[in-house]
Amino acid sequence: MLKDVTLTVQGREAEVTNITVEHGNNGLSKVRVDGVILPPKIKRRVLLTGVGGFVASHALAHLMTHTDWEIVGTDSFRHRGKTDRIAEMFRKHPEWRERFYCVTHDLTAPFSSQMIEQIGKIDYIVNYASESHVDRSQADPLNFTENNVSSTLQMLEYARKHVPKVFLQFSTDEVYGAMQH
């Protein structure tokens, strides 16, 4: 608790007698200035695709640890995405559950209007969704490539219609081709 301080907000000074910070169970805080709760900082909402995959599940853990953002995850769980990765994370951090919502969806098809409503307004799209693994890309290159191009195109189309502040596209190692020795 701070007492008898001068607070400057947007270039204006104000005499303040009491500032307190109340820490919630969810890791978020409320700030009171002379008994008045300050409006919270604006939370961001992220659509994180391929959330059950190895890399995206680590990105989810990073975002949950280092932000207070709401995360909407999506994955088809047909390829290498595993619900166990997400479940284990929330077993260790049950306080994160209220900031995460998962939509099971194959991104080679557009989101339905119901899903779009469930997803809600999104500030950032982080697109990790893709089929991966070199062996599968060589064994079945047509289906592999069609899946990755189609899912990326669907996400770009979603972004075009819903205009997030940022669209980040991540890709698989197969895009780069074989290493030259």
Side-chain angles (χ1 to χ4, degrees):
M1 179 185 320
L2 297 174
K3 291 191 176 263
D4 300 322
V5 297
T6 301
L7 183 65
T8 303
V9 178
Q10 296 179 342
R12 297 173 135 181
E13 287 188 359
E15 294 297 318
V16 176
T17 57
N18 191 348
I19 298 175
T20 58
V21 179
E22 301 168 9
H23 299 284
N25 293 336
N26 59 3
L28 304 179
S29 303
K30 290 182 184 174
V31 177
R32 291 183 186 267
V33 176
D34 288 339
V36 176
I37 297 176
L38 295 180
K41 63 182 178 183
I42 298 171
K43 279 190 177 184
R44 300 293 182 207
R45 294 194 76 226
V46 177
L47 178 58
L48 180 64
T49 68
V51 72
F54 181 78
V55 177
S57 65
H58 284 83
L60 173 63
H62 180 83
L63 290 169
M64 297 304 272
T65 301
H66 298 287
T67 73
D68 63 350
W69 299 351
E70 295 176 1
I71 311 298
V72 178
T74 184
D75 204 304
S76 69
F77 299 105
R78 285 189 304 122
H79 306 294
R80 292 293 189 190
K82 296 180 180 176
T83 56
D84 294 353
R85 288 185 178 117
I86 299 168
E88 180 61 25
M89 188 182 316
F90 290 116
R91 266 193 292 282
K92 291 179 181 175
H93 300 281
E95 71 277 10
W96 291 350
R97 287 186 183 138
E98 67 186 37
R99 295 191 295 126
F100 179 74
Y101 179 73
C102 190
V103 176
T104 301
H105 179 68
D106 182 348
L107 289 177
T108 60
F111 287 114
S112 69
S113 57
Q114 271 186 313
M115 284 184 182
I116 290 170
E117 191 173 307
Q118 288 174 336
I119 291 168
K121 175 81 173 111
I122 294 294
D123 297 297
Y124 307 123
I125 295 174
V126 183
N127 189 27
Y128 282 102
S130 67
E131 171 86 53
S132 64
H133 298 284
V134 174
D135 292 346
R136 286 201 301 272
S137 72
Q138 292 172 347
D140 191 7
L142 181 60
N143 285 332
F144 186 93
T145 303
E146 283 178 344
N147 177 83
N148 290 354
V149 169
S150 181
S151 62
T152 301
L153 182 59
Q154 290 299 333
M155 287 311 303
L156 288 168
E157 186 63 18
Y158 178 86
R160 188 180 67 78
K161 290 179 182 174
H162 299 280
V163 195
K165 291 175 178 65
V166 173
F167 182 99
L168 292 175
Q169 173 65 40
F170 288 85
S171 191
T172 65
D173 54 341
E174 290 81 12
V175 169
Y176 306 106
M179 288 182 20
Q180 301 297 318
H181 298 278

